[in-house]
Amino acid sequence: MTDTAAVGRARRRARWPWVVLVVVTLLAVFVVAAEVIARAVVPATVRGLVIDALDLPADQQLDVETQGVLLPQLLGGTLDELRLSSDQVTIGGVTGAAQVTATQVPLRGGSLAGAEGTVIIDQSQFAGLLERVELPITEITLDEPDVTVHGGISVLGAEIPLALTMTPGADDGDLMLTPIAVEVAGAEVDLQRLAGMFGDIGAALAGPQRVCIADQLPTGITLTGLRIDGTSVVAEISADGRIAVDEALLEPGVCP
């Protein structure tokens, strides 16, 4: 073996770690670049799909966030978690700030594992929902955790002021208002006395008030909770995972 050949092999052995280092570095740069591109493209694509599906304005403010490292999720065809939020969005007849988290979102079509979120509405929006209640409402006051409706009952031609305090909630997709206290002409009265004072109207006021809001939401979205938070109303919602593939679930629901 010549000295020249030995020197050549020694040089190649010396260069080999540097070649590996360069290849690894290039691969790392490629992965980082691909991840950056994925994080830019995926949210924009999802935003467009959601806006089209819900028939929202093209300039609708809608933020989309993904979780975790995207490349493995993209290669696997499923996003682990997707978060959508908007400071103001109108869905059906309800306008508010919305935040929804969807899990196991398939990229090649299919149902979601599930989606849950909240919609925060103000007092005026909440008052609009209560227009369907059989209550003599002229004013609404939010006082966490309850809501008080003010109105009056006509008795023998005289209007008697009434303030009914109720705790909001949800039951089987409906908005529920459970009376806890009442004032008649400024004086606190036991709820059970309302029937004796005002007959059927009083009995109705003393019982839970159920409000159907299904026609204000897509069929695939259900109200699961409702609470007062300061001066806002927080509605908790849940979405049927099939809403991603069944257009019928995007249509407004129906109230009986």
Side-chain angles (χ1 to χ4, degrees):
M1 180 183 298
T2 66
D3 292 341
T4 301
V7 170
R9 283 196 297 272
R11 287 177 177 175
R12 285 193 293 272
R13 286 196 297 270
R15 287 199 302 267
W16 177 246
W18 291 102
V19 171
V20 172
L21 178 61
V22 170
V23 171
V24 170
T25 301
L26 289 175
L27 285 174
V29 170
F30 170 77
V31 169
V32 170
E35 180 73 14
V36 170
I37 293 172
R39 289 193 174 279
V41 172
V42 171
T45 301
V46 171
R47 178 184 179 278
L49 292 173
V50 172
I51 285 177
D52 287 343
L54 297 179
D55 197 25
L56 299 173
D59 60 352
Q60 170 68 51
Q61 179 262 321
L62 181 64
D63 298 328
V64 180
E65 297 180 17
T66 54
Q67 301 297 310
V69 181
L70 279 187
L71 283 182
Q73 298 178 51
L74 294 177
L75 292 174
T78 302
L79 296 179
D80 294 338
E81 186 175 289
L82 197 62
R83 297 179 181 176
L84 298 93
S85 62
S86 177
D87 294 335
Q88 183 172 345
V89 61
T90 300
I91 300 177
V94 181
T95 299
Q99 181 173 320
V100 177
T101 298
T103 56
Q104 295 300 298
V105 182
L107 298 174
R108 300 180 181 87
S111 300
L112 312 172
E116 297 181 344
T118 59
V119 178
I120 301 175
I121 61 177
D122 60 22
Q123 184 169 300
S124 63
Q125 289 286 313
F126 186 60
L129 295 177
L130 297 190
E131 288 179 355
R132 305 177 179 198
V133 183
E134 296 297 326
L135 294 174
I137 300 174
T138 58
E139 183 184 353
I140 292 176
T141 302
L142 302 181
D143 186 13
E144 184 179 349
D146 303 312
V147 55
T148 298
V149 297
H150 304 267
I153 296 179
S154 180
V155 178
L156 301 176
E159 188 80 3
I160 300 179
L162 181 141
L164 185 62
T165 299
M166 301 175 288
T167 300
D171 180 64
D172 197 24
D174 289 340
L175 189 163
M176 290 292 292
L177 298 168
T178 303
I180 59 172
V182 62
E183 289 186 1
V184 178
E188 188 170 345
V189 175
D190 188 288
L191 284 168
Q192 305 307 314
R193 291 185 55 198
L194 288 180
M197 296 173 66
F198 305 113
D200 291 342
I201 295 178
L205 290 174
Q209 308 293 319
R210 179 180 291 271
V211 186
C212 175
I213 62 169
D215 59 346
Q216 303 291 308
L217 299 170
T219 301
I221 295 179
T222 302
L223 178 70
T224 58
L226 194 78
R227 68 181 189 275
I228 306 298
D229 185 2
T231 58
S232 300
V233 179
V234 180
E236 299 172 357
I237 58 173
S238 176
D240 188 323
R242 296 171 299 165
I243 198 170
V245 293
D246 188 348
E247 292 186 1
L249 295 178
L250 291 170
E251 295 297 321
V254 178
C255 284

